[in-house]
Amino acid sequence: MPKNSKVVKRELDDEVIESVKDLLSNEDSSDDAFKKSELMVDDPEEKDVDVEEGSDAEDERPAWNSKLQYILAQVGFSVGLGNVWRFPYLCQKNGGGAYLVPYLILLLIIGIPLFFLELAVGQRIRRGSIGVWNYISPKLGGIGFASCIVCFFVALYYNVIIGWSLFYFSQSFQHPLPWDQCPLVKNTSHTFVEPECEKSSATTYYWYREALNISSSLSESGGLNWKMTVCLLAAWVMVCLAMIKGIQSSGKLEIMLDPKVWREAATQVFFALGLGFGGVIAFSSYNKRDNNCHFDAVLVSFINFFTSVLATLVVFAVLGFKANIINEKCVTQNSEKILKLLKMGNLSQDMIPHHINFSSITAEDYNLVYDIIQKVKENQFDSLGLKSCKIEDELDKAVQGTGLAFIAFTEAMTHFPASPFWSVMFFLMLVNLGLGSMFGTIEGIITPIVDTFKVRKEILTVICCLVAFFIGLIFVQRSGNYFVTMFDDYSATLPLLIVVILENIAVIRIYGIEKFMEDLKDMLGFSPSQYYYYMWKYVSPFVLLCLLVASIVQMGLSPPGYNAWIEDMAMEEFHSYPTWGMIVCISLMVLAILPVPIVFIVRRCNLIDDSSGSLASVSYKRGRIIKEPVNLEGDNTSLINGKSPSEVPSPNFGKNIYRKQTGSPTLDTAPNGRYGIGYLMADMPDMPESDL
């Protein structure tokens, strides 16, 4: 707790020790449970006993070794694969540098404020997502469970992408790279190039046929791809081993008027920072309560932004290099065709300008000849088979996701000198980026469950990773890539938006914006800017609701389906989801958000008895602890509450007795019982210090 927090003391009979210090000095050193407890006494007259930060109860929770370790963990979680293959695509698609303007505006409006909010509640309450929202209001405790489910869905397919990267990484230690040339097929009479590869490209063929061995539709399973199964297992083993060790291991300006650009920028800001996953809350819960989380929020947000910009510059440079190589090859091949047509007499030499030298022709000269032939041979032009070799056309082919990483980049690297080295470095980078985000995602699952149900973290981590691996086998079938697309489109976007909207409502409306601002002042040592007050109360909720509506409309207007790879045509073709596929898509969204209404109904209707004896008050006598059942209907102001974190599933929030505020909304501001953190509420006069 911050050093200006107080413990209220009340005079009791002679058997009660007057101070915590004397009580501890008289206690037997072998009584660990006693040492982990804390004395909380109520006295409306005296408020002079300071509780120093770093008490045994507060030290019970693991903590970061250093501020740098924590910042790197948050950066590792927020900076992921999307920074490399999603942000550059959106820049290219939406006007280049002009896209940065709406992105920065939305970063300031929803990104940093909501990131700051999650950091603050996690650091203050010092619990994972389930415990945090149970503390704010038990009826909204389902928010934490929804975050865990979304994290689990995302982890299922996200680790598959890491497995793909591991496969390409393992194949990069050879020269030439295996995707450098199309394979040759031999039969009894002659040797020829693989038709599927000849119709597409070497890198496209390697991705779809050699790596994925993809089927032609979602319904065609095709069995497991053993190579990708091994890579997926390796990825989950890496994640499991790391998590067991715990936290200490870890162009055109008018385009800005297009609402679609703003929607895509808002979505990118939203997911880039990992809002709603619970990983941000989990990581910040291991901080001391006087840590400057405002500085952390601004720092991590801008590190994420500048990393995206840097990645965009690199991606554009690589794609530009690739486009130039492909354009030069196109000019060479089509110049040879023109020479053949001249020799055959299909074209007249008089059509060719005198300064053109086909042995060393430039792209500009070729396009000049191309335009002349197109005008002169207008009727017969299509039969000549000539192509327009313009580098702009190649650059306009916007590529994102796996197409960028496993096709475009791999093709570019085949033209680099020492191409295996660059391939190793690139896929090693993808693995590291992916693992950093995976650690935060898994932490968003493990930490809330450990905090709430008091299970061993090592056992839970192993079980979680094993279950995820076996479920993840659907992604390493020959049709697995289509399931990855399905989960990516439907398992996270809408549920996470709803989760973050509810988070904002829980803190600002249910808990109270004024109380929250006071808590921040108490925690940070200074009052946060009023900018955050207005962002949290008015602007962010409005923008989030607009984004939710726009996402629903976009989902309704876009036909649900996927791009299937057709082997005979060597190209992608759009397929609609079958009926069972639509059921799966809808189920993913419903399952992710279902805990919110379920927990609300259970709490609202009191379907679970919260006074089953799981809570206890502790009366201290000299050298002993006597546990007594809590009488929730009795005089709470007479209770001396001391709880060991090992005995009661609740955070040790300081030494105040938490209370229900007069005039507060009908939702409880502090929970009791199975779903909640387990703090008692006492009807007391308002106290000057924070309620958190």
Side-chain angles (χ1 to χ4, degrees):
M1 285 290 291
K3 295 184 179 180
N4 62 344
S5 297
K6 307 289 184 181
V7 170
V8 182
K9 189 178 74 173
R10 179 180 178 180
E11 289 191 12
L12 301 174
D13 59 352
D14 293 336
E15 291 182 317
V16 178
I17 304 302
E18 294 271 332
S19 69
V20 176
K21 181 177 179 181
D22 292 338
L23 184 61
L24 293 176
S25 64
N26 284 285
E27 180 56 44
D28 186 358
S29 59
S30 64
D31 194 346
D32 292 336
F34 182 86
K35 287 186 176 182
K36 292 178 181 177
S37 63
E38 50 186 287
L39 180 63
M40 296 161 60
V41 190
D42 172 35
D43 184 1
E45 298 178 359
E46 284 189 50
K47 302 180 181 179
D48 299 328
V49 183
D50 290 335
V51 178
E52 294 297 326
E53 200 170 81
S55 64
D56 288 335
E58 189 153 317
D59 287 341
E60 184 73 17
R61 189 169 183 82
W64 299 101
N65 284 337
S66 66
K67 181 65 172 284
L68 178 62
Q69 186 187 46
Y70 163 68
I71 293 295
L72 290 177
Q74 287 285 17
V75 170
F77 175 50
S78 64
V79 177
L81 297 174
N83 297 74
V84 174
W85 65 34
R86 178 67 179 171
F87 188 89
Y89 162 77
L90 293 175
C91 283
Q92 181 182 6
K93 177 184 175 184
N94 297 318
Y99 172 76
L100 298 181
V101 177
Y103 185 89
L104 271 174
I105 292 174
L106 291 167
L107 181 66
L108 296 174
I109 289 177
I110 62 173
I112 295 178
L114 294 176
F115 192 60
F116 181 25
L117 184 145
E118 289 200 356
L119 288 179
V121 295
Q123 178 176 309
R124 185 63 164 169
I125 301 176
R126 303 201 78 195
R127 282 297 178 265
S129 56
I130 296 176
V132 161
W133 305 117
N134 267 324
Y135 173 77
I136 297 294
S137 170
K139 293 184 178 67
L140 293 179
I143 297 175
F145 290 98
S147 293
C148 290
I149 293 176
V150 173
C151 280
F152 186 71
F153 284 162
V154 172
L156 287 177
Y157 73 86
Y158 201 88
N159 222 24
V160 175
I161 301 174
I162 298 177
W164 294 341
S165 302
L166 286 173
F167 173 77
Y168 269 80
F169 174 76
S170 66
Q171 298 299 306
S172 298
F173 294 91
Q174 49 188 306
H175 185 75
L177 292 170
W179 52 83
D180 185 42
Q181 299 291 335
C182 284
L184 298 177
V185 179
K186 296 181 180 180
N187 59 18
T188 55
S189 58
H190 63 284
T191 301
F192 56 93
V193 177
E194 170 63 47
E196 185 181 1
C197 184
E198 190 175 22
K199 293 176 184 178
S200 54
S201 68
T203 53
T204 303
Y205 172 82
Y206 190 86
W207 166 241
Y208 284 115
R209 189 55 54 213
E210 297 293 337
L212 298 181
N213 193 20
I214 198 167
S215 62
S216 58
S217 71
L218 182 69
S219 302
E220 184 184 339
S221 168
L224 290 178
N225 181 338
W226 69 268
K227 293 181 290 187
M228 290 306 172
T229 303
V230 172
C231 291
L232 178 63
L233 177 61
W236 276 115
V237 168
M238 293 168 65
V239 171
C240 185
L241 292 178
M243 293 305 300
I244 285 177
K245 294 187 67 177
I247 63 167
Q248 296 179 351
S249 63
S250 351
K252 296 180 179 179
L253 294 176
E254 61 268 20
I255 205 167
M256 291 170 54
L257 302 177
D258 186 355
K260 183 180 179 182
V261 175
W262 289 84
R263 181 183 64 81
E264 291 182 338
T267 304
Q268 179 63 19
V269 170
F270 187 84
F271 289 104
L273 294 174
L275 300 175
F277 282 94
V280 174
I281 294 176
F283 280 151
S284 66
S285 71
Y286 297 107
N287 278 327
K288 293 183 178 179
R289 292 194 184 94
D290 60 353
N291 174 61
N292 190 345
C293 55
H294 174 257
F295 172 80
D296 300 341
V298 175
L299 178 63
V300 173
S301 298
F302 278 101
I303 288 177
N304 184 288
F305 170 69
F306 287 117
T307 302
S308 298
V309 173
L310 178 61
T312 300
L313 295 175
V314 175
V315 168
F316 282 0
V318 173
L319 294 181
F321 173 79
K322 168 182 169 286
N324 188 62
I325 294 293
I326 293 176
N327 194 61
E328 288 179 356
K329 185 183 295 185
C330 176
V331 169
T332 302
Q333 292 175 347
N334 284 272
S335 296
E336 293 175 353
K337 287 184 179 180
I338 293 175
L339 287 174
K340 290 181 180 179
L341 292 171
L342 288 172
K343 291 179 181 179
M344 295 170 60
N346 293 336
L347 295 177
S348 172
Q349 186 68 43
D350 296 336
M351 299 168 55
I352 310 300
H354 297 293
H355 70 280
I356 299 297
N357 181 5
F358 283 103
S359 61
S360 59
I361 190 172
T362 63
E364 292 79 7
D365 288 342
Y366 169 77
N367 286 315
L368 175 62
V369 174
Y370 178 87
D371 292 339
I372 293 173
I373 297 175
Q374 189 177 30
K375 291 177 182 178
V376 175
K377 296 285 186 178
E378 183 176 356
N379 296 331
Q380 300 87 19
F381 183 77
D382 292 339
S383 62
L384 299 178
L386 297 178
K387 295 181 180 179
S388 174
C389 299
K390 294 183 178 179
I391 195 169
E392 293 84 2
D393 295 338
E394 190 65 34
L395 290 173
D396 286 341
K397 295 178 181 178
V399 184
Q400 66 166 326
T402 55
L404 175 65
F406 300 109
I407 298 177
F409 257 63
T410 52
E411 184 171 349
M413 285 183 292
T414 59
H415 302 290
F416 289 177
S419 55
F421 169 79
W422 297 109
S423 182
V424 168
M425 291 295 102
F426 175 71
F427 289 109
L428 182 62
M429 177 196 72
L430 289 187
V431 170
N432 280 303
L433 285 176
L435 287 176
S437 296
M438 271 298 296
F439 294 156
T441 303
I442 298 298
E443 196 71 48
I445 303 171
I446 301 298
T447 296
I449 295 177
V450 170
D451 289 342
T452 304
F453 301 104
K454 304 303 176 185
V455 297
R456 286 193 59 184
K457 184 172 185 177
E458 295 83 357
I459 297 176
L460 178 62
T461 300
V462 172
I463 293 175
C464 179
C465 291
L466 280 175
V467 171
F469 168 72
F470 285 110
I471 296 177
L473 292 178
I474 65 172
F475 302 108
V476 291
Q477 304 174 95
R478 291 183 59 195
S479 59
N481 188 49
Y482 308 138
F483 284 97
V484 171
T485 301
M486 176 190 291
F487 272 66
D488 191 34
D489 290 341
Y490 293 98
S491 70
T493 305
L494 287 182
L496 277 182
L497 277 171
I498 295 172
V499 164
V500 175
I501 291 172
L502 292 175
E503 287 180 358
N504 193 273
I505 293 173
V507 174
I508 306 310
R509 303 294 178 183
I510 308 303
Y511 184 74
I513 181 66
E514 287 79 12
K515 287 169 59 182
F516 187 59
M517 295 296 286
E518 284 297 320
D519 291 333
L520 290 175
K521 180 180 178 181
D522 186 38
M523 184 166 62
L524 300 176
F526 62 88
S527 298
S529 169
Q530 286 296 108
Y531 169 82
Y532 292 104
Y533 178 93
Y534 293 107
M535 289 297 107
W536 286 329
K537 191 170 184 179
Y538 302 110
V539 180
S540 294
F542 175 75
V543 174
L544 287 172
L545 286 173
C546 291
L547 181 57
L548 178 62
V549 172
S551 298
I552 294 174
V553 171
Q554 177 67 21
M555 191 171 291
L557 295 177
S558 303
Y562 60 99
N563 291 319
W565 179 257
I566 309 303
E567 182 177 358
D568 295 337
M569 297 186 295
M571 61 181 296
E572 289 184 334
E573 184 178 85
F574 182 81
H575 286 187
S576 297
Y577 285 120
T579 303
W580 66 266
M582 288 298 303
I583 294 175
V584 172
C585 293
I586 296 172
S587 300
L588 288 174
M589 293 185 288
V590 172
L591 285 174
I593 208 64
L594 194 60
V596 175
I598 288 179
V599 173
F600 182 86
I601 293 172
V602 167
R603 286 290 185 176
R604 185 71 179 83
C605 300
N606 295 318
L607 299 181
I608 292 182
D609 183 13
D610 288 339
S611 58
S612 58
S614 61
L615 299 176
S617 66
V618 179
S619 298
Y620 289 111
K621 299 198 174 188
R622 290 189 185 272
R624 302 191 180 189
I625 301 177
I626 302 175
K627 295 185 181 177
E628 299 174 351
V630 172
N631 179 11
L632 295 178
E633 298 179 356
D635 182 11
N636 288 335
T637 60
S638 66
L639 296 177
I640 301 175
N641 303 315
K643 302 181 182 66
S644 167
S646 61
E647 296 169 343
V648 181
S650 63
N652 286 318
F653 268 9
K655 290 48 183 187
N656 313 10
I657 295 180
Y658 296 92
R659 66 195 184 283
K660 188 173 183 178
Q661 293 292 310
T662 56
S664 63
T666 57
L667 291 175
D668 299 333
T669 57
N672 291 305
R674 178 173 176 181
Y675 286 98
I677 299 304
Y679 266 89
L680 302 178
M681 298 182 295
D683 292 323
M684 299 170 56
D686 285 346
M687 299 164 61
E689 58 269 22
S690 161
D691 293 301
L692 281 176

